Amino acid sequence: MKRALLILALAVPIHAANWPEHPRLHAVRVSVAPVIDGDLSDPAWKDAPEFTDFTQHDPDDGKPATQRTSVRIVYDDSAIYFGAKMSDAQRPSAQLARRDTFNGSTDFLSINIDPQLDRLSGNAFTVNPLNVQVDTVLYNDIGEDPTWDGVWASATRIVDDGWVAEVRIPFSQLRFPDRQAQVWGLNITRRTARTNEIVRIVNTPKGQTGFVSHFADIAGIEGIHRGRPLELVPYAVARSDIESHASDPPTGRRGTRADGGLDLKYGLTSSLTLTGTINPDFGQVEVDPAVVNLSQFETFYPEKRPFFTEGLNVFSFGDSPAPSHFSFIFTPSLFYTRRIGRNDARILAASKVTGKAGGGLTVGVLDALTDEERNRNYFVARSTKEIGNGSRVGFMLTSVTAGASGTAPSQSGPSIAGGVDGYTGFGRKSWIAEGSLEGSSVKDEVKELQLSSAHEYQRPDAHAFSFDPNRTSLSGWGGRAMISKVDGVWRPNVQVQAYSPGFETNAAGFMQRTDLISAHALMQYVNLTPTARFREKNLWFGTWQNRNFDGDTLERGVFADWFGTLSSYWKPRAALFVAGSAVSDRLTRGGPLARTPRGWSSDLSLDTDDRKKVSFSFSSHLEGSGDHSYVHQISVRMTARPSANLSVQIGPSFSRSYDYAQYVTAVDDPLAVGTFGRRYVFAGLDQRSFDVGTRVDWTLSSRLSFQLYLQPFVASGDYHDYHALDRARSRDFVPVAYAPDPDFNFRSVRGSAVARWEFRPGSALYLAWNENRAGTAPVGDFRLGRDLRAIPGSPSHDVFLVKISYWLPI
């Protein structure tokens, strides 16, 4: 998994005061390309201009680099080459890790290219002294997408006075206009972990924003063509599934299969790329962590499948170059890739086209077909248009169509959602105004949607909507508007969001609920001037309020969130949220409103210097409310790097909570006049949970690695003191008797182990194991030793696979 290390290096650029707006570097065409072996003695490097003028971002912003960095650039008909020498009086720091995995203890050199020269997007190619590669996509000027995997070559060598890097980037991996003479944007970042010195070609003082927009220019590139490269990656997989069930004696089943598929990339134009996959298999992807979710809302899991993660930024809706976005609700999204292939449905085929179409237009189109009970076709279209210098408008459309299955009729029509979004900078780009407007229309399973937790049209005291079992369609709208300051010490941020009761995106997107109007007004204090104690200090404070379309206040409060970086590079954080009494339109899960007590929550955390061989992260979360409900959570994560090729991370976490009003059930009762003829039963719920997330990364070389993830997880829930809501819009409860007792103990372990060998560029062999072992017992009390010992006897599903993929450039 790619780490967030480059965020530090890429998020805030630097721009030397004595440089022009876009300084110009020169590349030299060579007839004989340099050999990529970490040796700069090749004749190709001799005639190339040497660039050495780098400026610090850290630790002394704007000052000259303390160590010399030399870069030369050449090219031929097929690729561009970078040769760099990083002088260092001490041995460079480096950790041998799997590709796309960096940590805070490594030096690196990052080559950032904007081949479109749109001052907004590009690619970053990064290596450390042990030749570990990281590649990312740059977007929205300051955004970075770590999911892209290019095919490029590099070699590094540690020498007596520093380290050397040679990088070859094929033109087939870049997108640029088809013209005789090229001018590309360029920035190069070097980091020295020992001193945490970060230097770049282009230096903008701390407190300002933008990255790609400040790049230098590369001139002298002529007569090159990306062409229409075709890349085929066929794969073959052998898989064994073993399921066991808890019984006496144990029973289970075993299944094996062999399969294959194909991934492809084709350059439709010099700037547009078609990516496709047929019968994909993602068995090597790490499993999701275990959770216990007793709410009515779906759990959100991040995307991990390579086909969908790569280029996902193109389909991002409602984004902008603003460095900070806040929301006090779970904002609905139009596109959630994990809808495709949900519930273990197999993806038969998928394809997407992404890239630039000229004139500042970026496009993305995705289509996928799955073999669910009613074969579903997912279609997503996204486009954005840059307007002038610092403005953009965009459009997005999603459509999900289900076919017939057996005797079941086909649905009435596709589930459609779409919207427009945009932003503009003003006040010399110190401010950004942004917003979006969305709409949806659904004609399938409309009755079920009205009753779902996202809508709850059956609420008896709602005025903005009502349940209609004969309704044939459901439609709605949503929108957001935000104004924020993006530079300076004081940065206000004001936002309003609204999503109507009938808005629905869960066919292709993700939403927990609608019928919401949310507003906040915040102020951020950003002090990036180093002092004797702090490298930087940040403070957010403000207020928020959430209402529904009936005008009921669902939540309101004030908060303050402070975090910083000490001179020792330790990172403390403290936050406090205080909310007043309000009402809930979801507590009774389709019933009437109920009052909620005042409450508060706090977060405390401390991260130690991650450059050290052993680092720690401590965090705690505390909540309390007027009805004596509480949450106490604490977690510790230790990361140890005993050697240059081994990293171990262990993170135990413990949670204890009490909820006075945990929903249990609702039953018809004509005597319950105060709650519209239904009795809404709640209980006091004591919950405990404990888990240990463990990761081991063992890297034999930059091409051969082993990763292990293991999460034993146990949880308990003890229901007691049953009571029912006495009347709507109140916090009054009356005791009731209830049976059966829903007490539970959940025991599970989830794990995955993956050995990956990249035996040639773009080609890999995987040996993988995934396990999901889980069981429950109606006990209710928490005994850690007993529950951990019960895990091995729980039902399990184990997957063993061997997968090989082979990259064929044509």
Side-chain angles (χ1 to χ4, degrees):
M1 181 182 296
K2 299 191 179 184
R3 300 289 302 275
L5 172 69
L6 295 184
I7 297 296
L8 173 65
L10 299 179
V12 183
I14 27 191
H15 183 204
N18 60 333
W19 277 77
E21 177 64 19
H22 298 292
R24 178 157 291 204
L25 284 72
H26 290 273
V28 174
R29 177 183 279 277
V30 294
S31 56
V32 179
V35 178
I36 305 302
D37 58 1
D39 184 351
L40 298 179
S41 62
D42 301 76
W45 299 119
K46 302 302 182 184
D47 296 329
E50 182 182 36
F51 178 81
T52 60
D53 194 355
F54 284 74
T55 306
Q56 285 191 60
H57 174 60
D58 268 324
D60 298 314
D61 183 36
K63 293 185 178 181
T66 63
Q67 300 181 107
R68 188 175 189 271
T69 303
S70 165
V71 176
R72 300 175 190 265
I73 309 170
V74 301
Y75 71 98
D76 59 15
D77 288 336
S78 60
I80 188 168
Y81 305 81
F82 293 83
K85 169 67 181 297
M86 283 61 66
S87 299
D88 196 336
Q90 299 187 36
R91 182 175 176 82
S93 303
Q95 186 81 10
L96 190 60
R98 178 177 172 174
R99 178 185 169 125
D100 296 329
T101 305
F102 270 4
N103 56 57
S105 65
T106 189
D107 296 1
F108 65 75
L109 182 79
S110 184
I111 299 165
N112 307 279
I113 304 176
D114 171 16
Q116 301 276 357
L117 201 65
D118 61 8
R119 306 297 183 191
L120 286 171
S121 61
N123 301 86
F125 303 86
T126 306
V127 294
N128 78 356
L130 296 179
N131 201 33
V132 177
Q133 294 181 345
V134 173
D135 41 23
T136 61
V137 169
L138 309 176
Y139 68 99
N140 272 357
D141 197 6
I142 62 171
E144 184 184 20
D145 180 357
T147 60
W148 175 69
D149 283 322
V151 180
W152 50 288
S154 64
T156 60
R157 183 175 299 184
I158 296 177
V159 294
D160 291 340
D161 58 344
W163 62 289
V164 174
E166 286 185 300
V167 175
R168 178 185 186 270
I169 303 171
F171 295 139
S172 64
Q173 302 301 299
L174 303 174
R175 297 173 178 176
F176 52 86
D178 189 7
R179 58 170 64 109
Q180 174 61 26
Q182 301 282 335
V183 178
W184 296 351
L186 174 71
N187 208 352
I188 295 179
T189 301
R190 176 192 174 184
R191 184 198 187 212
T192 304
R194 184 182 65 258
T195 59
N196 204 45
E197 181 173 307
I198 296 174
V199 299
R200 289 198 186 93
I201 292 175
V202 184
N203 176 43
T204 298
K206 290 184 177 181
Q208 296 189 15
T209 190
F211 180 57
V212 181
S213 56
H214 299 288
F215 277 14
D217 294 341
I218 311 175
I221 304 175
E222 299 180 351
I224 66 168
H225 302 279
R226 180 175 183 247
R228 296 187 177 182
L230 174 62
E231 302 175 17
L232 301 178
V233 185
Y235 85 85
V237 63
R239 171 173 173 153
S240 175
D241 288 71
I242 302 174
E243 296 184 25
S244 68
H245 304 283
S247 59
D248 190 15
T251 62
R253 62 180 181 177
R254 181 189 302 263
T256 59
R257 66 180 175 90
D259 209 342
L262 176 70
D263 297 335
L264 66 89
K265 287 186 180 181
Y266 178 63
L268 298 174
T269 69
S270 60
S271 300
L272 284 173
T273 300
L274 167 67
T275 306
T277 183
I278 300 173
N279 194 32
D281 182 280
F282 305 113
Q284 78 278 12
V285 174
E286 183 180 290
V287 298
D288 294 314
V291 296
V292 171
N293 183 356
L294 298 180
S295 75
Q296 68 269 49
F297 301 121
E298 177 186 3
T299 300
F300 180 89
Y301 290 106
E303 181 61 85
K304 301 177 183 180
R305 299 168 296 178
F307 175 83
F308 296 104
T309 58
E310 183 175 330
L312 193 57
N313 64 283
V314 175
F315 297 93
S316 178
F317 182 83
D319 202 0
S320 80
S324 299
H325 288 84
F326 271 80
S327 181
F328 290 84
I329 61 173
F330 202 116
T331 303
S333 63
L334 293 180
F335 185 34
Y336 175 47
T337 56
R338 291 195 63 153
R339 293 288 179 227
I340 303 174
R342 56 185 164 184
N343 300 326
D344 296 324
R346 188 156 186 83
I347 300 171
L348 303 176
S351 62
K352 58 186 175 183
V353 175
T354 57
K356 300 279 187 177
L361 183 66
T362 300
V363 298
V365 178
L366 183 146
D367 193 78
L369 179 66
T370 66
D371 69 345
E372 297 170 68
E373 181 179 354
R374 296 191 300 173
N375 287 356
R376 293 183 184 269
N377 181 257
Y378 296 81
F379 176 81
V380 182
R382 170 69 166 153
S383 66
T384 60
K385 168 70 173 177
E386 308 301 332
I387 303 174
N389 183 17
S391 299
R392 186 179 73 192
V393 64
F395 167 80
M396 191 169 194
L397 174 70
T398 69
S399 173
V400 180
T401 306
S405 176
T407 59
S410 61
Q411 67 177 39
S412 302
S415 299
I416 296 174
V420 295
D421 66 334
Y423 68 83
T424 185
F426 60 96
R428 296 183 179 180
K429 295 186 179 181
S430 292
W431 292 79
I432 285 183
E434 61 183 271
S436 64
L437 183 62
E438 301 125 75
S440 66
S441 176
V442 181
K443 297 182 179 180
D444 188 38
E445 300 178 344
V446 174
K447 179 180 178 180
E448 292 77 6
L449 281 176
Q450 293 180 80
L451 299 174
S452 70
S453 61
H455 302 282
E456 295 192 349
Y457 270 35
Q458 69 272 36
R459 272 182 46 216
D461 54 354
H463 303 290
F465 52 84
S466 61
F467 173 65
D468 181 358
N470 299 315
R471 187 191 299 265
T472 58
S473 66
L474 187 68
S475 60
W477 59 271
R480 181 180 70 91
M482 185 181 86
I483 296 178
S484 62
K485 196 169 188 294
V486 299
D487 60 10
V489 175
W490 293 100
R491 305 180 184 182
N493 181 300
V494 178
Q495 177 173 271
V496 176
Q497 298 170 268
Y499 301 94
S500 75
F503 187 58
E504 170 61 40
T505 69
N506 273 329
F510 187 94
M511 53 174 270
Q512 290 189 333
R513 62 160 296 170
T514 54
D515 187 23
L516 271 175
I517 303 171
S518 177
H520 71 243
L522 314 174
M523 178 66 75
Q524 184 184 21
Y525 170 76
V526 183
N527 190 335
L528 301 177
T529 302
T531 64
R533 294 184 178 180
F534 286 91
R535 302 298 311 169
E536 62 175 303
K537 290 171 283 188
N538 288 266
L539 172 65
W540 283 95
F541 59 92
T543 183
W544 83 96
Q545 183 177 64
N546 298 334
R547 291 175 175 264
N548 62 21
F549 273 61
D550 283 342
D552 302 307
T553 298
L554 306 178
E555 196 176 41
R556 59 185 173 185
V558 295
F559 86 103
D561 190 343
W562 175 89
F563 55 97
T565 302
L566 303 178
S567 57
S568 62
Y569 291 97
W570 287 33
K571 298 177 177 64
R573 176 182 177 241
L576 177 64
F577 294 74
V578 179
S581 177
V583 296
S584 171
D585 57 8
R586 291 298 188 267
L587 185 68
T588 56
R589 304 195 183 185
L593 296 172
R595 180 151 293 278
T596 56
R598 66 186 183 277
W600 60 271
S601 68
S602 68
D603 293 281
L604 296 172
S605 67
L606 178 64
D607 295 339
T608 66
D609 187 352
D610 64 0
R611 298 174 301 166
K612 305 299 184 182
K613 285 193 172 184
V614 178
S615 60
F616 293 89
S617 177
F618 306 89
S619 64
S620 68
H621 176 77
L622 304 176
E623 291 183 23
S625 67
D627 62 0
H628 306 294
S629 298
Y630 64 85
V631 176
H632 298 163
Q633 295 176 340
I634 186 169
S635 63
V636 180
R637 186 180 69 247
M638 182 195 74
T639 302
R641 292 182 286 269
S643 64
N645 68 333
L646 180 62
S647 175
V648 179
Q649 186 178 97
I650 301 176
S653 177
F654 177 74
S655 174
R656 178 176 181 176
S657 66
Y658 169 70
D659 187 353
Y660 172 75
Q662 172 63 46
Y663 178 85
V664 178
T665 190
V667 295
D668 291 330
D669 185 349
L671 299 180
V673 178
T675 52
F676 301 92
R678 282 179 68 82
R679 185 74 67 187
Y680 296 91
V681 180
F682 298 84
L685 173 62
D686 287 296
Q687 277 188 272
R688 309 287 187 273
S689 69
F690 175 79
D691 74 281
V692 183
T694 303
R695 298 179 187 274
V696 177
D697 291 275
W698 180 35
T699 310
L700 301 178
S701 73
S702 59
R703 304 292 184 185
L704 178 60
S705 62
F706 172 80
Q707 290 184 310
L708 171 68
Y709 169 74
L710 200 65
Q711 185 214 16
F713 175 81
V714 295
S716 68
D718 179 17
Y719 290 80
H720 55 85
D721 299 329
Y722 295 95
H723 43 277
L725 184 66
D726 187 45
R727 56 189 175 88
R729 302 187 71 93
S730 77
R731 195 69 178 175
D732 298 333
F733 295 91
V734 294
V736 296
Y738 180 79
D741 193 344
D743 289 354
F744 68 88
N745 282 65
F746 179 74
R747 301 94 172 239
S748 83
V749 62
R750 292 193 177 188
S752 62
V754 180
R756 181 182 186 272
W757 175 34
E758 188 176 353
F759 55 89
R760 67 186 298 268
S763 305
L765 172 67
Y766 298 91
L767 302 177
W769 160 77
N770 287 329
E771 179 176 75
N772 184 358
R773 182 180 296 271
T776 60
V779 181
D781 65 324
F782 183 80
R783 295 183 185 179
L784 181 60
R786 177 201 62 198
D787 290 336
L788 289 175
R789 288 191 297 270
I791 292 177
S794 301
S796 69
H797 180 195
D798 289 75
V799 177
F800 300 87
L801 68 82
V802 178
K803 179 179 179 180
I804 186 169
S805 60
Y806 197 84
W807 181 63
L808 296 171
I810 298 176

